[in-house]
Amino acid sequence: MKKAEIKVTVELDEKNVPETILWESTDSENKDSVPAKAMILALWDHNYKNAMRIDLWTKDMPVDEMKRFFYETLQTMGDSFLRATGEQNIVEDLRDYCAHFADKMGIDTRK
């Protein structure tokens, strides 16, 4: 069986606010740590039937990039949900919401 490890390193300031987020994977061709400005990690706890989440962003994460990050996260969640469930109709509704979100947030989705 193939096995991979993902490592996330978060450097905090004196008030425990993230200053840097670095991640790396043993399954990647790139063996260097890669910087990130924000992350959302969600894990499903089968025993308690709930999601365990870690949402972090660095103090220098620009608001316009945070808006784009959420837009893209919602879009890719739709992709994942469709692959996992085959529920095309609800994914189309999510896509409609994503378009509405982008419009309200002033996100240029052509980039």
PDB file of all heavy atoms in Angstrom, residues 11 15 56 76 103 110:
ATOM      1  N   GLU A  11       3.989  29.119  12.039  1.00  0.00           N
ATOM      2  CA  GLU A  11       4.752  29.962  12.952  1.00  0.00           C
ATOM      3  C   GLU A  11       3.828  31.052  13.472  1.00  0.00           C
ATOM      4  O   GLU A  11       3.168  31.742  12.694  1.00  0.00           O
ATOM      5  CB  GLU A  11       5.955  30.575  12.245  1.00  0.00           C
ATOM      6  CG  GLU A  11       6.968  29.539  11.803  1.00  0.00           C
ATOM      7  CD  GLU A  11       8.150  30.131  11.054  1.00  0.00           C
ATOM      8  OE1 GLU A  11       8.224  31.371  10.899  1.00  0.00           O
ATOM      9  OE2 GLU A  11       8.996  29.343  10.613  1.00  0.00           O
ATOM     10  N   LYS A  15       1.030  36.665  20.098  1.00  0.00           N
ATOM     11  CA  LYS A  15      -0.404  36.590  20.398  1.00  0.00           C
ATOM     12  C   LYS A  15      -1.058  35.357  19.753  1.00  0.00           C
ATOM     13  O   LYS A  15      -2.268  35.281  19.633  1.00  0.00           O
ATOM     14  CB  LYS A  15      -1.105  37.860  19.918  1.00  0.00           C
ATOM     15  CG  LYS A  15      -0.659  39.106  20.661  1.00  0.00           C
ATOM     16  CD  LYS A  15      -1.385  40.330  20.166  1.00  0.00           C
ATOM     17  CE  LYS A  15      -0.885  41.555  20.904  1.00  0.00           C
ATOM     18  NZ  LYS A  15      -1.495  42.780  20.388  1.00  0.00           N
ATOM     19  N   LEU A  56      -6.958  28.625   9.159  1.00  0.00           N
ATOM     20  CA  LEU A  56      -5.894  29.553   9.539  1.00  0.00           C
ATOM     21  C   LEU A  56      -5.553  30.465   8.375  1.00  0.00           C
ATOM     22  O   LEU A  56      -5.630  30.056   7.210  1.00  0.00           O
ATOM     23  CB  LEU A  56      -4.622  28.797   9.946  1.00  0.00           C
ATOM     24  CG  LEU A  56      -4.680  27.898  11.172  1.00  0.00           C
ATOM     25  CD1 LEU A  56      -3.363  27.145  11.310  1.00  0.00           C
ATOM     26  CD2 LEU A  56      -4.971  28.700  12.417  1.00  0.00           C
ATOM     27  N   THR A  76     -14.252  24.176  -5.602  1.00  0.00           N
ATOM     28  CA  THR A  76     -13.640  22.845  -5.562  1.00  0.00           C
ATOM     29  C   THR A  76     -14.401  21.898  -4.638  1.00  0.00           C
ATOM     30  O   THR A  76     -14.398  20.684  -4.868  1.00  0.00           O
ATOM     31  CB  THR A  76     -12.156  22.913  -5.158  1.00  0.00           C
ATOM     32  OG1 THR A  76     -12.026  23.536  -3.890  1.00  0.00           O
ATOM     33  CG2 THR A  76     -11.344  23.677  -6.183  1.00  0.00           C
ATOM     34  N   ASP A 103     -19.913  37.715  -7.620  1.00  0.00           N
ATOM     35  CA  ASP A 103     -20.481  39.000  -8.012  1.00  0.00           C
ATOM     36  C   ASP A 103     -20.544  39.950  -6.810  1.00  0.00           C
ATOM     37  O   ASP A 103     -20.116  41.106  -6.892  1.00  0.00           O
ATOM     38  CB  ASP A 103     -21.879  38.786  -8.603  1.00  0.00           C
ATOM     39  CG  ASP A 103     -22.507  40.076  -9.074  1.00  0.00           C
ATOM     40  OD1 ASP A 103     -21.856  40.801  -9.862  1.00  0.00           O
ATOM     41  OD2 ASP A 103     -23.652  40.363  -8.659  1.00  0.00           O
ATOM     42  N   ARG A 110     -12.490  35.443 -14.247  1.00  0.00           N
ATOM     43  CA  ARG A 110     -11.800  35.140 -15.501  1.00  0.00           C
ATOM     44  C   ARG A 110     -10.306  34.914 -15.284  1.00  0.00           C
ATOM     45  O   ARG A 110      -9.614  34.519 -16.194  1.00  0.00           O
ATOM     46  CB  ARG A 110     -12.005  36.266 -16.499  1.00  0.00           C
ATOM     47  CG  ARG A 110     -13.473  36.430 -16.899  1.00  0.00           C
ATOM     48  CD  ARG A 110     -13.681  37.667 -17.700  1.00  0.00           C
ATOM     49  NE  ARG A 110     -13.436  38.810 -16.794  1.00  0.00           N
ATOM     50  CZ  ARG A 110     -13.230  40.050 -17.195  1.00  0.00           C
ATOM     51  NH1 ARG A 110     -13.220  40.337 -18.464  1.00  0.00           N
ATOM     52  NH2 ARG A 110     -13.023  41.013 -16.328  1.00  0.00           N
TER      53      ARG A 110
END
